[in-house]
Amino acid sequence: MTPKRLHIAIQKSGRLAERSLELIRAAGYRLNRSASDLAYSVENAPIDLWCLRDDDIPTFVADGVADLGVVGRNVLAERTAGGSNGLREVMPLGFGRCRLAIAAPQSFAYRGPGSLQGLRIATTYPNLLQQYLSEAGVEARVVTMRGAVEVAPRLTLADAICDLVSTGATLEANGLVALATVLESEAVLVRSTRSLDPDIDAVAESLTSRFRGVVASQDAKYVMMNAPRSALPRITEILPGAGAPTVMALAGRDDAVAVHAVCQESVFWETLEALKEAGASAILVLPIEKMM
Ligand code: PRT
Ligand code: ZN
């Protein structure tokens, strides 16, 4: 019997493709590309990768053809709006960040969602938009397009749009401003709500746990410093996302200690300046390679 393998679907090409492969490699999986470019097999674990259009990933995962998928939360949420549809988000992956926003021409006077009443709003996300409008108690006409939504107001096909925004450059180039956020999005790991074969499930659990480690260590830093004992409460307060730091004695000093902490959030220059102001010295910030 050939050993069972976990199948994971990622985007073939596009904004999430490269980062998805990077994440898998960072999790310690060695990839061999198939001759067709449409698949990879993992050398050191029973895992196969399929490279697909992102729009097809939720379907394959829901149908159980693939066990896991990497896709934008926007794609998953559009598919599951109004019900789980057999899919669930396992974890956010920390890349591909954007938001689904309602935007209108700069001249539009917006005073809250009520201002959208009676408008025609163009989008490729009709379910999410409709859900947002219903929750806001607004009746508007949802105009579903396949793409190039940002030109709809100029062509007078719509009064407003609902589209993904990351830098905002596309909106600006089209004379539009974002008015409201419908969904905050990033790449997510998705799986079916059905239970997996126990052997496959064990591989999926191990992969998920490794992904958590990679994502958690992305912004995390190991911070070390010396500090007056009296400054400890203030220093603990400043360290971003650190919990309780490790405090160690310094040889021959009663008034000062060494402080070590894992900061789960970004450590900025401002953080270091604040630590210095609180009395810390010899501050070191080190990258963390793996975390579990
Ligand atoms: O071929 P396939 O169907 O697989 O790919 P696709 O063309 O449908 O998707 P792709 O590669 O464009 O995006 C994949 C995923 O990346 C999306 O589903 C989102 O989860 C995520 N993502 C992150 C984005 C953006 N940022 C983004 N900016 N997807 C699209 N955009 C669009 C945005 O709508 C705008 O039109 O990019 C344009 C530029 O954005 P600005 O704000 O930076 O100007
Ligand atoms: Zn797509």
Side-chain angles (χ1 to χ4, degrees):
M1 203 179 85
T2 49
K4 296 174 203 160
R5 295 178 74 83
L6 172 97
H7 292 97
I8 169 164
I10 64 168
Q11 193 187 25
K12 178 171 175 284
S13 61
R15 289 166 195 271
L16 305 182
E18 210 40 57
R19 294 294 303 269
S20 302
L21 286 174
E22 267 172 36
L23 171 65
I24 291 163
R25 288 199 181 99
Y29 298 117
R30 283 197 302 276
L31 298 176
N32 282 327
R33 190 194 281 262
S34 74
S36 67
D37 259 23
L38 297 174
Y40 290 83
S41 69
V42 174
E43 219 175 87
N44 53 344
I47 301 175
D48 288 326
L49 247 65
W50 283 327
C51 305
L52 306 168
R53 284 287 304 271
D54 68 345
D55 317 75
D56 294 330
I57 293 174
T59 311
F60 284 117
V61 175
D63 291 351
V65 180
D67 306 297
L68 297 173
V70 173
V71 74
R73 181 182 292 129
N74 47 295
V75 172
L76 174 64
E78 175 66 14
R79 193 63 68 96
T80 55
S84 91
N85 235 327
L87 293 166
R88 83 180 159 85
E89 179 180 321
V90 181
M91 61 175 290
L93 299 173
F95 61 90
R97 288 205 177 92
C98 57
R99 63 189 178 116
L100 183 64
I102 296 176
Q106 270 141 13
S107 56
F108 183 71
Y110 182 73
R111 280 178 225 88
S115 304
L116 304 171
Q117 182 71 29
L119 298 190
R120 290 165 305 158
I121 311 177
T123 189
T124 50
Y125 295 87
N127 297 332
L128 286 173
L129 174 58
Q130 190 53 63
Q131 194 174 46
Y132 174 86
L133 294 170
S134 304
E135 277 165 17
V138 171
E139 274 182 46
R141 213 169 111 219
V142 175
V143 181
T144 305
M145 293 177 68
R146 294 296 293 266
V149 165
E150 65 279 0
V151 301
R154 235 184 313 141
L155 300 177
T156 68
L157 294 169
D159 308 300
I161 67 165
C162 173
D163 198 12
L164 296 176
V165 182
S166 51
T167 62
T170 303
L171 289 187
E172 203 183 324
N174 288 280
L176 303 169
V177 276
L179 308 173
T181 298
V182 172
L183 182 83
E184 294 285 351
S185 186
E186 64 186 279
V188 299
L189 183 68
V190 57
R191 71 180 275 175
S192 154
T193 50
R194 283 188 286 196
S195 48
L196 301 177
D197 170 285
D199 292 344
I200 299 282
D201 196 41
V203 181
E205 284 303 319
S206 152
L207 175 139
T208 305
S209 146
R210 288 183 185 201
F211 275 15
R212 281 192 208 288
V214 174
V215 173
S217 65
Q218 259 156 12
D219 286 333
K221 293 283 181 289
Y222 194 79
V223 182
M224 307 194 281
M225 75 202 81
N226 293 344
R229 207 176 268 284
S230 59
L232 273 178
R234 175 75 189 119
I235 281 173
T236 310
E237 216 174 84
I238 297 168
L239 288 168
T246 307
V247 176
M248 286 162 287
L250 286 174
R253 297 275 307 262
D254 285 338
D255 58 329
V257 287
V259 182
H260 288 203
V262 173
C263 292
Q264 306 273 6
E265 293 155 33
S266 306
V267 177
F268 300 105
W269 284 108
E270 288 78 1
T271 314
L272 302 193
E273 282 158 7
L275 288 170
K276 231 174 157 184
E277 220 158 274
S281 59
I283 310 171
L284 297 180
V285 180
L286 310 174
I288 294 174
E289 196 184 288
K290 291 189 180 66
M291 206 156 88
M292 216 165 187

